[in-house]
Amino acid sequence: MKLDLEELRQRLPLNRDGEDSTPPQNVAISSVIMPLFHDENGYGFLLQKRNSKLLAHPGQIAFPGGVKDPEDKDLLSTALREWTEEMGVPSDDLEVIGNYKGIYTHTGFHITPFLSLYNGNFEFSYNREEVEKIIRLDLNRLNEVPFYGLRMKRNPEGPPLDIYYFDLQEGLLWGATARILVSFLREHSNFEREPLLRNPNLSVPPFLDPKK
C-alpha cells in the first residue's frame, strides 16, 4: 500500500491540541499516537492489544493513548505520555508528523490522533497490566485480511453508524481505531476496499463475530 511520508509532512497540521473546535463538556477529551514504522515490507502501524482484564475496552486492539490528565499541557503531551507509559519506550523514538482529524465515539470520547514515525529498535518494555501484546501491522495486510462492515444505530434516535472490522490473526480490529485507519488510508493512501456488509450477530460490543 502506498504512503508518501514527505507529502504527509506537508499536508498534516501540527496543532498540539488538535482541531480548533471545542468538544462538548460531557465528552472525555483524549488523544492517541498513530505510530508508523518502515521496514523491508514497507510502511505499517504499531498497535497494542489491551489486557483482557481491563475494565475499559478489554482485549481490544488500539493505538497507544488515553484521556487527557489535568497536568497535561496539551493533547500531544497526553498522547506522548501514554505512549511512554504503555509501550515502555521513550517518546524520543518518535518523530511527530502532524495531527489527523479527531473523531467522536458513541461511548463519550473525542479522540485526536497524532501521526508519528517510530524510529526505535522494536524492543518494547510494555506495561503488561494494560497491554497484552504489541502488533506490527504491515499496511499491505489490510488489503488481504477479511474486512467487514455493519450499519446500525446505537440508539433509536441517533444517526446510522458505519462500523468497520478487520479480522486479523491477532484478533478483531474494530471500533474507533478501525474508523481512524480506514479514514486516514482512504484520504492519504490508495486503500479502496469496501467492507463486506454483515448483520449484527451479537447483542453487545463488538456486535459482530465474523466466525458465526
Side-chain angles (χ1 to χ4, degrees):
M1 194 181 302
K2 297 178 181 177
L3 204 61
D4 189 329
L5 194 60
E6 291 306 316
E7 182 178 321
L8 287 168
R9 288 190 177 101
Q10 295 175 17
R11 292 182 62 183
L12 291 183
L14 181 49
N15 300 319
R16 296 183 64 97
D17 259 323
E19 298 158 327
D20 294 335
S21 58
T22 303
Q25 291 184 349
N26 60 344
V27 171
I29 308 303
S30 62
S31 58
V32 298
I33 294 292
M34 293 177 66
L36 273 175
F37 68 88
H38 189 272
D39 60 16
E40 66 276 6
N41 297 314
Y43 283 105
F45 279 106
L46 290 169
L47 300 168
Q48 56 175 255
K49 187 169 187 178
R50 292 169 58 81
N51 191 308
S52 59
K53 296 180 181 179
L54 290 172
L55 294 177
H57 310 293
Q60 285 196 19
I61 296 175
F63 292 120
V67 175
K68 185 179 182 182
D69 283 348
E71 61 268 25
D72 294 333
K73 63 180 181 180
D74 49 47
L75 282 173
L76 178 56
S77 298
T78 299
L80 294 174
R81 172 182 55 77
E82 292 280 354
W83 161 272
T84 300
E85 292 175 0
E86 295 175 358
M87 304 291 277
V89 292
S91 58
D92 292 346
D93 290 341
L94 296 172
E95 175 200 345
V96 180
I97 295 169
N99 56 283
Y100 187 54
K101 58 189 176 185
I103 67 165
Y104 289 96
T105 74
H106 291 265
T107 53
F109 292 85
H110 181 272
I111 304 172
T112 296
F114 288 91
L115 184 72
S116 304
L117 180 65
Y118 175 67
N119 294 307
N121 59 10
F122 298 96
E123 295 180 3
F124 300 102
S125 301
Y126 56 90
N127 182 347
R128 296 180 184 273
E129 292 184 359
E130 296 190 41
V131 179
E132 181 179 307
K133 67 171 64 174
I134 305 299
I135 298 170
R136 289 173 64 165
L137 178 63
D138 294 334
L139 291 186
N140 290 331
R141 287 175 62 190
L142 297 180
N143 278 325
E144 300 166 357
V145 299
F147 179 38
Y148 303 103
L150 294 183
R151 180 161 291 176
M152 60 181 294
K153 290 187 175 185
R154 293 292 294 270
N155 62 73
E157 299 180 356
L161 305 176
D162 289 320
I163 307 176
Y164 300 114
Y165 303 81
F166 292 97
D167 193 6
L168 305 178
Q169 180 181 2
E170 298 90 346
L172 198 62
L173 169 57
W174 73 287
T177 305
R179 277 176 59 196
I180 292 169
L181 271 175
V182 170
S183 175
F184 175 82
L185 293 174
R186 284 181 173 164
E187 186 174 344
H188 294 290
S189 184
N190 57 336
F191 183 76
E192 297 179 347
R193 290 185 74 184
E194 292 296 332
L196 176 63
L197 292 179
R198 296 279 301 270
N199 293 318
N201 57 21
L202 298 174
S203 59
V204 295
F207 307 110
L208 177 69
D209 181 349
K211 304 298 190 290
K212 290 186 177 181

